[in-house]
């Protein structure tokens, strides 16, 4: 069974704080993804990584950065949190081929005050 | 620019009846399509997929239909059960990578 874990289920931060969201997968997947889910907008891709130290921008990378130093771990960083980054953040992973299913973690609900 | 659209934000059906969830896409490069199911406070879980070389894929009570010429897919759930109540996301990815795009989701409520 694929397991994707996220470091926190709920997080409350203040505007301007630096925020780290961690994601770990245990299936040796090459690809890892960060999405945010907002009502009426579905899941929007922030960044993805297809290998260690590699990253690609998704649809909404502004205000975010990522780090992938190890294959199993993909971090999302909010350099200076803002209220419009209040959202549900979802991490996913998949094998490196095409037509691969993505497996999701439980999500982190972030509130920025 | 939403490349995957689910135009019905919600759907309510009676237990035992058929649920039909619809999805439209605009990008002709998409060739792999998936449905995910999401319960509150949980991540989406994979439900069923279909490749563009097929027009139908069935898994138990769940069937996905793909109409490539119309750029439309649908998920049929027969018979619907109260435990199927969740948000359903349609997703699509191109043939050459895993850059997946999701729809906004449809909240299905199955009434006992």
């Amino acid at each position: 069974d694929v397991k994707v874990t996220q470091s926190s289920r709920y997080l409350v931060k203040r505007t301007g704080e630096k925020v780290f969201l961690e994601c770990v997968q245990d299936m040796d997947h090459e690809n890892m993804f960060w999405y945010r889910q907002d009502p009426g907008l579905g899941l929007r891709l922030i960044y993805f990584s297809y290998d260690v130290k590699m990253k690609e921008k998704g649809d909404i990378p502004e205000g975010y950065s990522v780090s992938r130093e190890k294959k199993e771990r993909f971090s999302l960083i909010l350099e200076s949190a803002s209220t419009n980054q209040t959202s549900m953040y979802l991490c996913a992973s998949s094998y490196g081929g095409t037509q691969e299913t993505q497996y999701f973690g439980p999500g982190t609900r972030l509130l920025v005050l | 620019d939403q490349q995957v659209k689910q135009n019905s934000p919600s759907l309510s059906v009676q237990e035992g009846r058929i649920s039909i969830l619809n999805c439209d896409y605009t990008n002709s490069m998409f060739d792999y399509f998936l449905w995910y199911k999401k319960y509150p406070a949980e991540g989406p879980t994979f439900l069923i997929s279909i490749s563009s070389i097929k027009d139908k894929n069935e898994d138990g009570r769940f069937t996905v239909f793909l109409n490539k010429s119309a750029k439309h897919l649908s998920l049929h759930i027969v018979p619907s059960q109260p435990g199927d109540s969740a948000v359903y996301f349609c997703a699509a990815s191109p043939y050459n990578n895993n850059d997946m795009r999701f729809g906004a989701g449809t909240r299905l409520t199955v009434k006992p």
Side-chain angles (χ1 to χ4, degrees), chain B residues 4-6 21-25 35 71-74 90-91 103:
Chain B
V4 178
K5 297 178 184 178
Q6 294 176 255
L21 295 92
N22 293 302
C23 178
D24 297 293
Y25 62 96
W35 285 94
K71 293 192 175 70
H72 176 85
L73 64 155
S74 61
C90 170

Side-chain angles (χ1 to χ4, degrees), chain A residues 98-99, chain B residues 25 27-34 50-54 66 68 91-97:
Chain A
T98 57
Q99 299 196 349
Chain B
Y25 62 96
N27 189 340
S28 57
M29 300 288 279
F30 288 148
D31 84 332
Y32 185 55
F33 305 90
L34 308 90
I50 188 166
S51 168
S52 62
I53 61 173
K54 293 185 172 183
L66 176 63
K68 282 176 291 186
S93 65
Y95 71 94
N96 59 348
N97 65 55

Side-chain angles (χ1 to χ4, degrees), chain A residues 37-44, chain B residues 2 4-11 21-24 35-38 44 86-91 101-108:
Chain A
Q37 182 198 353
D38 299 289
L41 297 175
L43 278 68
R44 292 181 292 165
Chain B
Q2 260 196 309
V4 178
K5 297 178 184 178
Q6 294 176 255
N7 291 320
S8 298
S10 63
L11 175 68
L21 295 92
N22 293 302
C23 178
D24 297 293
W35 285 94
Y36 283 84
K37 177 177 174 178
K38 187 180 185 299
V87 177
Y88 289 79
F89 290 100
C90 170
R101 292 291 184 265
F102 286 80
T106 297
R107 182 177 299 280
L108 173 66

